Amino acid sequence: MKRTFLALFTGVIFMFSCSSDDTSGGTDNQTDNFDRSAMLVNWADNIIIPVYEDLNSKLEILAAEKEVFIAEPTPTNLFSLRTAWQDAYKVWQYAEMFNVGMAENINYIFQMNVYPTNVQDIQNNIESQDYDLSSVNNNDAVGFPALDYMLYGVGSTETEVVDFYTTSASADKRKIYLSDLTDRMQSLTQTVLEDWKNGYRDTFVSSTDNTATGSINLVVNDFIYYYEKGFRANKFGIPAGVFSQNPLPDRVEAYYTYDFSKVLALEAMTAVQDFFNGRAYQSGSDGRSLADYLNSINGSEDLSTSITSQYAAARTKINTLNDSFAEQVNTNNVAMTETFDSIQLAVVLLKVDMLQALDISVDYVDADGD
């Protein structure tokens, strides 16, 4: 099986593939008595599947509001459509870290949240009406970021956005593209959810071996990769210019919505903390977790506490930022880089100390030099 991962630097998408068929690093000779099966059950039944169910529900609402707006493009219907998009985007922050099963097979995360979106590709697709949204060439012209542009970036006022879908010669084409984007996001999510509920869940929870293809190893790697790349680098480091000569404020998540990037980052921080602590997505009750796993291994109790403390420190830093990360970068980028640094402190704890304690090897390519 090939593991494919995404890194986004200065607007360029890099895809890395590495084989996880070998069992180098992880071995099935752990001598701890931790109940890994219980942790996998908690992850599947109380976190992952409920997240996909909620995301699917939110996307169904988004699709319904899209139909209303297309039938009658008005400021009121635009407001409802935007609200549905924001609600779904917040739930996505809890789903993005899980790149296993069908999500990995269909390149789900690449189809849902590659940003910055490519406006030129979107415009070309609209005008040509000849596009394959599943093509890797359209990964930066689909998903939540593409809808960000289609709902906010095509005009500076609600009236101008509505005019984009009503008064121009391309209005009907624009409606079609808006509809296709939304329907594809819902269809992809339904595919992933149905796979979990129709067999993959049982396969997942039964794979308790500490090998490169074991469920714990795969999910832990996805979790760390997301924290390091999807969260730390994409949301903070790239816009702040950590990986480039200059800051790149147009690389923030939800760029066109303007004041939504902080909301998404805080949701993502909660998702990271909740997963580490095994907190159920819906009920908020705690189950078997990575924190418990570390606490079960001699000498790792302090590590679990250190990780939790660093998460809290990172959240505190995020809370000091402007609601618009683009505005934050433009007016006081030092605060943005300081937040990145605080988030970075947990990377070493996770990627080095935690993996060593759990006897798990990194299964992705690190290309940003950190």
Side-chain angles (χ1 to χ4, degrees), residues 39 42-43 47 97-98 220 223-224 227 269-279 286-295 300-311 346 349-350 354 358:
M39 184 170 70
N42 185 46
W43 287 355
I47 300 177
M97 69 180 75
F98 302 119
V220 167
F223 173 63
I224 296 174
Y227 183 82
M269 188 75 249
T270 298
V272 166
Q273 291 175 290
D274 284 356
F275 178 74
F276 182 76
N277 291 305
R279 186 154 299 141
D286 291 341
R288 283 292 189 179
S289 66
L290 282 176
D292 293 331
Y293 198 174
L294 288 174
N295 290 337
S300 296
E301 295 87 347
D302 291 343
L303 175 57
S304 176
T305 300
S306 296
I307 292 171
T308 300
S309 297
Q310 197 53 54
Y311 286 156
L349 296 174
L350 295 169
M354 186 177 78
L358 300 180

Side-chain angles (χ1 to χ4, degrees), residues 1 27 71 77 79 101 104 109 137 152 255 270 354:
M1 179 176 61
T27 58
N77 290 339
F79 177 83
E104 181 183 6
I109 61 173
N137 294 324
Y152 294 90
Y255 173 70
T270 298
M354 186 177 78

Side-chain angles (χ1 to χ4, degrees), residues 20-48:
S20 60
D21 290 330
D22 66 272
T23 57
S24 57
T27 58
D28 194 22
N29 59 1
Q30 290 278 96
T31 56
D32 61 81
N33 296 317
F34 184 74
D35 189 347
R36 299 177 203 164
S37 178
M39 184 170 70
L40 289 172
V41 169
N42 185 46
W43 287 355
D45 295 348
N46 298 324
I47 300 177
I48 300 175

Side-chain angles (χ1 to χ4, degrees), residues 142-283:
V142 296
F144 286 105
L147 286 180
D148 177 34
Y149 170 72
M150 296 290 286
L151 298 181
Y152 294 90
V154 297
S156 58
T157 66
E158 289 184 347
T159 299
E160 289 180 358
V161 174
V162 169
D163 288 345
F164 182 80
Y165 295 100
T166 55
T167 61
S168 75
S170 298
D172 287 341
K173 293 180 180 179
R174 292 164 177 172
K175 290 178 184 177
I176 292 171
Y177 197 69
L178 176 67
S179 182
D180 288 348
L181 287 176
T182 306
D183 290 347
R184 177 157 181 79
M185 292 168 68
Q186 183 187 9
S187 175
L188 288 169
T189 302
Q190 286 178 332
T191 297
V192 174
L193 175 60
E194 288 171 1
D195 184 60
W196 271 95
K197 299 177 81 170
N198 295 320
Y200 183 67
R201 181 266 179 201
D202 293 340
T203 300
F204 177 82
V205 301
S206 66
S207 179
T208 59
D209 291 348
N210 187 31
T211 61
T213 54
S215 293
I216 291 175
N217 298 50
L218 294 177
V219 172
V220 167
N221 266 283
D222 285 348
F223 173 63
I224 296 174
Y225 179 84
Y226 172 73
Y227 183 82
E228 182 183 12
K229 309 298 181 184
F231 182 67
R232 180 210 58 149
N234 289 357
K235 294 184 193 300
F236 299 92
I238 292 172
V242 173
F243 308 102
S244 58
Q245 292 183 340
N246 299 299
L248 302 166
D250 62 335
R251 303 308 200 254
V252 302
E253 193 172 26
Y255 173 70
Y256 296 99
T257 314
Y258 186 72
D259 61 353
F260 196 47
S261 45
K262 180 179 176 179
V263 170
L264 294 178
L266 287 170
E267 290 286 351
M269 188 75 249
T270 298
V272 166
Q273 291 175 290
D274 284 356
F275 178 74
F276 182 76
N277 291 305
R279 186 154 299 141
Y281 178 71
Q282 297 288 7
S283 69

